[in-house]
Amino acid sequence: MKRTNGSGVIWIVYILNFLLLSSFQEKPAPGNKKQFELVKYNNPETTPFVGVGLWAWPIPMDFDKDGDMDLLVSCPDKPFNGLYFFENKEGGDFPIFEAPIRIGPAIPQIQISHIEQGAYVTIPGKELKNFENSLVENPLDLYPSDELIKNMEKKPRFNQWKMVDYEGDGDLDVVVGIDDWNDYGWDNAFDAKGNWKNGPLHGYVYWLENDAGTYVNRGKIQASESDIDVYGAPSPNFSDFDGDGDLDLICGEFLDQLMYFENIGSRSQPKYKKGVYLSNSSGLVKMDLQMIIPVAIDWDQDGDTDLVVGDEDGRVALIRHTGNVKDGMPVFDSPVYFRQKADNLKFGALATPVSVDWDQDGDEDLISGNSAGYIAFIENVGGGSEPVWNQPKLLESDGEIFRIQAGNNGSIQGPAEAKWGYTTLSVADWDGDGKMDILYNSIWGKVQWLRNTGLSLENPRSINVAWEDQPMEYPMWNWWRPENQELVTQWRTTPYAIDWNKDGIMDLVMLDHEGYLSFFEGFKQQSGETYVRPGKRIFYGESASIYSNRNIAQNTETGPLRLNNAEAGGSGRRKISLVDYDSDGDFDLLVNSVNVSLFENISQTTDKVIFKDLGPVSESVLAGHTTSPTFVDWNKDGIWEILVGAEDGHFYHLRR
């Protein structure tokens, strides 16, 4: 793969041709099933956040050699897997980047080291020589990467290799950041008071010394006479951050913060002070989400080393060094997320859309949740068969941006998931006042709603269950007990609001505490408040009735439809929608799968509804973990089409 210097016009033309051959929506579908198509903004006036799919690994560099900084971003997940080039055509410190161009497959664990000797691109165990011209085609072996992890029971998620002259002797050493999950475990380890009984995440930094061209493992780097150990995902970055002539260290973590280790030794004999989190006058310097990937670089070329940081939802931020040092610690600005020219419509990661005319102007908008726990209004400002979209606008409740997060003990999978919220929702007039409300579930498994006053959304309220003489039901692995009559079911599963029994009062169809698709009948209390009755398992599956969370049948018998038979962290995770897909007068079921699977309603009485699993509606692979379906009729022909929010945060449309 060759390219020209200078403007790179020939290279860009080559990339565009490559894109046409390899882009997601241009691949022909096997068989007779159509492909989902990426939904475009169709709005050149908007400048959304720079974004790839799930998990951004940034490689900031002047890729096209025109004198300004571009962004390469590797995205290792599905379906937006790839290495993407965001060109800086504007110049300047904070440009609006061009839309991404895919220049190849994702490069797992890729790192770039901007040091005195130049820019070095590495993957575990190897340096990628002549990277701008050959990408991964010219690797140079450094050291066997498996040697550093051979004694770990659990495979690390992060194995990050950097080049640096660690001890200032004139040759290049290797430093490696590796996380360790052995003490943490993963799932269902809270005591009855919500304390995590397992250990923490670990993140260590190793030094491989260059000894006459051979790399020798000198073990873990220490600070204050103990091994450096951050909370997972160490992402080591060495630079003279405090301007005193030696190399300091900044590490990321699995969560959202950055730890600074001051070198209180010398350039030739580094010695590191105990780590402290970066902070400024606004408080701790934090990213918006987690699983962050920081890269040290003098982005604005002012002589101070800044940080370019990738976030879990595919965004990339600049954390600018102010040039100031306070009490031995460099002072950085808070993160500012880069923007790009509009291309693919996107809302974070694990987007969970519902199509609804939210602003009541006659066209279909989107209300969507995501992994960060936000809910957004995505306005359709076009109204035609190809919608024109505004940027997602974060919704507020009671005047504050609405966000659900797990915190230390809200995720069954432990405190490492503190920043995730996993909002999944439906939109309906829950209280019967003529205004569309939002019902949602989340990482907590609490089913709640946001009442729409017509002017704003109120603070969250619980969906209440009239248990009467029946014991309260909730997942047995929850360390906490629901309050009063609040509905708590399996986490990350859609609470689908629909007037199922057509009595004029909204009901809920969703997974119950054991993963069975159930009917929660709505009724009005004397106070006028809408309650639901305990769930009834009226939904059946024909020829298969028990499924995994990825919609893989676990049996071949007809019976009550259990859409997830797993427990704890494997529970829930099912996204559903109900629509008369085949136009025969009854509601069919759309569920998340490799894209979306259709369960046809083949028989219905008051107490029993039988669905038959017809499998995925397309050959498209949209999920590594999950998708979230809704239905649209953008061309207004009376035939429902499917819209999917994928885990990459993009939206995919299936025309019919």
Side-chain angles (χ1 to χ4, degrees):
M1 196 180 289
K2 303 298 182 184
R3 64 182 291 275
T4 62
N5 292 324
S7 65
V9 173
I10 295 176
W11 175 242
I12 298 301
V13 171
Y14 173 84
I15 293 173
L16 289 171
N17 288 332
F18 178 87
L19 178 65
L20 290 174
L21 292 172
S22 64
S23 66
F24 169 85
Q25 61 267 42
E26 293 296 329
K27 293 178 182 177
N32 296 320
K33 292 184 178 180
K34 291 185 177 180
Q35 286 281 84
F36 279 88
E37 300 173 351
L38 262 170
V39 176
K40 299 291 185 178
Y41 263 101
N42 298 320
N43 187 353
E45 302 302 317
T46 192
T47 53
F49 294 120
V50 159
V52 290
L54 186 71
W55 208 1
W57 288 67
I59 309 103
M61 64 191 312
D62 182 7
F63 186 67
D64 55 12
K65 302 299 182 185
D66 64 353
D68 52 34
M69 286 293 177
D70 309 302
L71 267 181
L72 295 182
V73 185
S74 181
C75 174
D77 205 60
K78 298 176 183 177
F80 207 72
N81 178 285
L83 179 65
Y84 292 89
F85 172 47
F86 294 83
E87 184 181 3
N88 178 358
K89 283 188 175 180
E90 291 187 355
D93 299 340
F94 204 81
I96 304 297
F97 288 98
E98 298 298 302
I101 296 174
R102 188 179 189 272
I103 61 174
I107 304 175
Q109 306 282 348
I110 188 170
Q111 296 279 277
I112 186 168
S113 308
H114 290 279
I115 55 179
E116 291 180 8
Q117 293 84 352
Y120 293 80
V121 180
T122 45
I123 58 175
K126 302 178 187 296
E127 179 194 351
L128 301 180
K129 303 290 288 185
N130 193 25
F131 175 76
E132 293 96 322
N133 294 311
S134 59
L135 299 182
V136 297
E137 294 176 2
N138 192 17
L140 173 68
D141 288 335
L142 299 172
Y143 184 88
S145 62
D146 289 345
E147 281 296 307
L148 297 179
I149 62 174
K150 63 183 180 182
N151 295 323
M152 291 186 178
E153 294 179 13
K154 295 182 182 295
K155 183 179 179 181
R157 290 191 174 195
F158 292 77
N159 190 358
Q160 302 163 304
W161 292 55
K162 291 286 186 76
M163 306 293 292
V164 65
D165 182 0
Y166 177 72
E167 78 285 50
D169 63 357
D171 55 25
L172 287 182
D173 308 299
V174 176
V175 291
V176 184
I178 295 178
D179 61 351
D180 183 343
W181 290 78
N182 288 300
D183 287 344
Y184 184 87
W186 183 251
D187 195 16
N188 196 14
F190 288 106
D191 66 19
K193 295 183 179 180
N195 301 305
W196 184 248
K197 296 184 293 184
N198 289 349
L201 282 183
H202 298 288
Y204 304 117
V205 182
Y206 294 82
W207 171 33
L208 306 181
E209 183 184 8
N210 187 338
D211 185 0
T214 299
Y215 289 98
V216 180
N217 182 7
R218 301 303 187 195
K220 298 171 183 174
I221 297 175
Q222 294 194 329
S224 190
E225 300 182 354
S226 297
D227 293 339
I228 287 175
D229 184 5
V230 299
Y231 196 76
S235 302
N237 289 275
F238 286 86
S239 186
D240 184 9
F241 291 107
D242 59 7
D244 65 357
D246 53 32
L247 296 185
D248 311 297
L249 170 63
I250 290 179
C251 287
E253 289 192 337
F254 190 77
L255 290 172
D256 57 355
Q257 298 178 90
L258 300 132
M259 186 166 283
Y260 172 65
F261 297 89
E262 181 186 1
N263 185 351
I264 55 175
S266 65
R267 180 70 183 88
S268 59
Q269 294 182 317
K271 182 179 180 181
Y272 294 97
K273 192 176 178 179
K274 184 179 179 180
V276 292
Y277 287 117
L278 291 182
S279 63
N280 56 30
S281 60
S282 299
L284 292 174
V285 175
K286 292 185 177 184
M287 293 289 284
D288 189 51
L289 205 45
Q290 61 175 79
M291 291 177 71
I292 65 173
I293 310 291
V295 176
I297 181 174
D298 184 3
W299 177 265
D300 53 14
Q301 301 179 37
D302 65 353
D304 301 307
T305 303
D306 311 301
L307 298 169
V308 171
V309 190
D311 220 333
E312 186 255 3
D313 61 2
R315 292 180 295 166
V316 179
L318 174 64
I319 300 180
R320 191 181 68 86
H321 195 309
T322 66
N324 298 319
V325 176
K326 183 178 181 181
D327 299 326
M329 185 171 71
V331 180
F332 288 83
D333 287 336
S334 297
V336 180
Y337 286 84
F338 288 117
R339 292 188 175 271
Q340 65 168 76
K341 293 182 179 178
D343 187 21
N344 305 312
L345 186 66
K346 177 176 168 63
F347 180 50
L350 283 82
T352 56
V354 169
S355 180
V356 60
D357 184 5
W358 182 254
D359 54 9
Q360 299 182 352
D361 65 353
D363 54 32
E364 294 182 64
D365 310 302
L366 295 176
I367 299 292
S368 181
N370 67 10
S371 69
Y374 295 114
I375 296 176
F377 166 46
I378 308 176
E379 183 183 6
N380 179 358
V381 295
S385 60
E386 293 293 335
V388 176
W389 303 101
N390 273 345
Q391 296 176 49
K393 179 182 179 182
L394 298 181
L395 292 182
E396 298 181 349
S397 64
D398 201 28
E400 300 289 335
I401 289 176
F402 174 86
R403 187 176 188 184
I404 296 290
Q405 294 182 87
N408 287 331
N409 52 24
S411 170
I412 191 63
Q413 294 182 160
E417 301 200 345
K419 293 293 288 270
W420 286 322
Y422 296 120
T423 38
T424 177
L425 53 89
S426 60
V427 179
D429 180 9
W430 183 249
D431 56 359
D433 67 353
K435 304 176 185 68
M436 300 298 279
D437 310 301
I438 297 175
L439 292 84
Y440 67 90
N441 192 359
S442 69
I443 199 166
W444 283 88
K446 297 180 179 181
V447 185
Q448 299 181 304
W449 66 296
L450 300 171
R451 181 174 179 269
N452 184 358
T453 69
L455 299 175
S456 62
L457 296 174
E458 295 181 342
N459 276 333
R461 305 182 185 190
S462 295
I463 300 293
N464 290 326
V465 187
W467 294 112
E468 299 175 348
D469 296 330
Q470 180 174 330
M472 181 184 295
E473 296 174 340
Y474 59 96
M476 63 181 182
W477 47 85
N478 281 14
W479 64 265
W480 51 276
R481 181 182 175 87
E483 295 181 5
N484 301 321
Q485 296 172 306
E486 69 176 341
L487 176 58
V488 173
T489 183
Q490 295 193 359
W491 70 334
R492 302 164 63 175
T493 185
T494 312
Y496 197 85
I498 182 173
D499 183 5
W500 180 264
N501 58 7
K502 300 180 181 179
D503 65 355
I505 301 172
M506 281 293 165
D507 312 302
L508 280 179
V509 175
M510 65 181 303
L511 268 63
D512 68 11
H513 64 296
E514 293 180 332
Y516 289 90
L517 189 66
S518 298
F519 167 52
F520 295 81
E521 182 184 7
F523 70 97
K524 292 288 187 180
Q525 295 275 41
Q526 288 186 349
S527 63
E529 185 176 355
T530 302
Y531 270 57
V532 297
R533 294 190 168 90
K536 294 181 179 179
R537 297 172 179 174
I538 67 171
F539 302 105
Y540 284 70
E542 183 186 72
S543 301
S545 56
I546 300 175
Y547 287 82
S548 71
N549 60 27
R550 300 196 183 201
N551 208 56
I552 299 173
Q554 305 296 295
N555 70 347
T556 56
E557 289 81 42
T558 297
L561 184 56
R562 193 177 192 183
L563 286 178
N564 193 342
N565 67 336
E567 298 182 353
S571 68
R573 300 173 182 262
R574 302 312 309 267
K575 313 301 189 300
I576 67 170
S577 194
L578 290 162
V579 61
D580 185 4
Y581 192 72
D582 52 11
S583 302
D584 66 352
D586 54 31
F587 285 105
D588 307 300
L589 176 67
L590 304 176
V591 302
N592 59 305
S593 63
V594 66
N595 48 73
V596 176
S597 287
L598 173 64
F599 284 65
E600 183 186 3
N601 185 337
I602 60 173
S603 174
Q604 180 172 341
T605 64
T606 301
D607 298 321
K608 191 171 186 179
V609 182
I610 300 177
F611 290 112
K612 182 175 179 60
D613 181 6
L614 301 185
V617 298
S618 168
E619 303 288 348
S620 300
V621 178
L622 300 183
H625 294 84
T626 188
T627 59
S628 185
T630 187
F631 49 90
V632 300
D633 184 15
W634 286 341
N635 62 7
K636 300 179 182 178
D637 65 354
I639 299 174
W640 294 115
E641 302 172 340
I642 297 176
L643 181 72
V644 174
E647 69 182 59
D648 63 8
H650 294 107
F651 302 90
Y652 295 83
H653 179 217
L654 184 69
R655 301 175 189 270
R656 296 177 71 195

